[in-house]
Amino acid sequence: MLYVITGPPASGKSTWIQAHATARDIVIDLDRIASALTGPGAPQWNQDPLVQRVAQRARFAAVDEAVKHRDEVDVYLIHTMPSPKARARYKHLGARIVVVDPGEDVVRERVRTMRSDGMDRVVTRWYRDYRKGGSRPVTAQASRTW
């Protein structure tokens, strides 16, 4: 099964996966990939453009290969803001989409204490674009599927 975990930065997507995935499952997380590609002492959430470019390429390759094996193992993919094209692909693959959102106030506080200043813009964009969808209002619910 393919699980696509979405939600704003610092919402708990990785924590949700830790609570559900097993050691045998495949977890594709851009933050973990970027961390694996950098040396000792690099920030946990590395936003360096070059690191992000290389990590994105690695993520695309990992997704392409992992979805071939979703009948053998569970695949957990963090995709903060999937585009309509990506959502259509995930739907075609039979994915279960899980939105992790503890609420905007909680997310903004976590971003202030844990992340870089630039993440606040991503949070704003996530809530603006998610609310724009209309049929899926943002709630303080920890997680849900759509």
Side-chain angles (χ1 to χ4, degrees), residues 6-76:
T6 69
S11 62
K13 297 178 297 291
S14 297
T15 302
W16 189 93
I17 290 173
Q18 287 176 355
H20 293 86
T22 68
R24 188 170 183 272
D25 294 333
I26 296 170
V27 176
I28 303 171
D29 176 344
L30 190 62
D31 290 338
R32 289 172 62 180
I33 292 169
S35 180
L37 294 171
T38 55
Q44 183 177 1
W45 293 286
N46 195 329
Q47 299 300 314
D48 179 89
L50 181 57
V51 171
Q52 287 298 306
R53 182 181 311 148
V54 174
Q56 281 284 0
R57 290 292 193 100
R59 180 180 174 273
F60 291 138
V63 170
D64 286 344
E65 185 61 29
V67 297
K68 297 175 187 174
H69 307 285
R70 67 190 185 282
D71 293 332
E72 303 163 53
V73 296
D74 286 336
V75 176
Y76 293 85

Side-chain angles (χ1 to χ4, degrees):
M1 169 63 83
L2 172 63
Y3 295 89
V4 179
I5 314 306
T6 69
S11 62
K13 297 178 297 291
S14 297
T15 302
W16 189 93
I17 290 173
Q18 287 176 355
H20 293 86
T22 68
R24 188 170 183 272
D25 294 333
I26 296 170
V27 176
I28 303 171
D29 176 344
L30 190 62
D31 290 338
R32 289 172 62 180
I33 292 169
S35 180
L37 294 171
T38 55
Q44 183 177 1
W45 293 286
N46 195 329
Q47 299 300 314
D48 179 89
L50 181 57
V51 171
Q52 287 298 306
R53 182 181 311 148
V54 174
Q56 281 284 0
R57 290 292 193 100
R59 180 180 174 273
F60 291 138
V63 170
D64 286 344
E65 185 61 29
V67 297
K68 297 175 187 174
H69 307 285
R70 67 190 185 282
D71 293 332
E72 303 163 53
V73 296
D74 286 336
V75 176
Y76 293 85
L77 167 63
I78 292 180
H79 195 155
T80 298
M81 292 186 282
S83 66
K85 182 178 178 181
R87 279 192 220 144
R89 179 179 184 218
Y90 299 147
K91 182 178 179 181
H92 175 75
L93 292 169
R96 177 177 171 213
I97 309 290
V98 178
V99 179
V100 179
D101 177 27
E104 187 170 356
D105 292 340
V106 171
V107 167
R108 289 197 183 278
E109 181 59 30
R110 289 177 183 173
V111 166
R112 269 192 292 279
T113 61
M114 298 169 30
R115 304 281 177 105
S116 67
D117 293 338
M119 280 292 114
D120 196 56
R121 288 189 304 272
V122 178
V123 171
T124 297
R125 193 170 117 219
W126 191 90
Y127 280 102
R128 180 197 66 220
D129 293 352
Y130 191 71
R131 284 188 182 130
K132 191 186 293 184
S135 63
R136 293 182 295 275
V138 174
T139 68
Q141 186 172 324
S143 67
R144 63 187 178 276
T145 58
W146 45 269

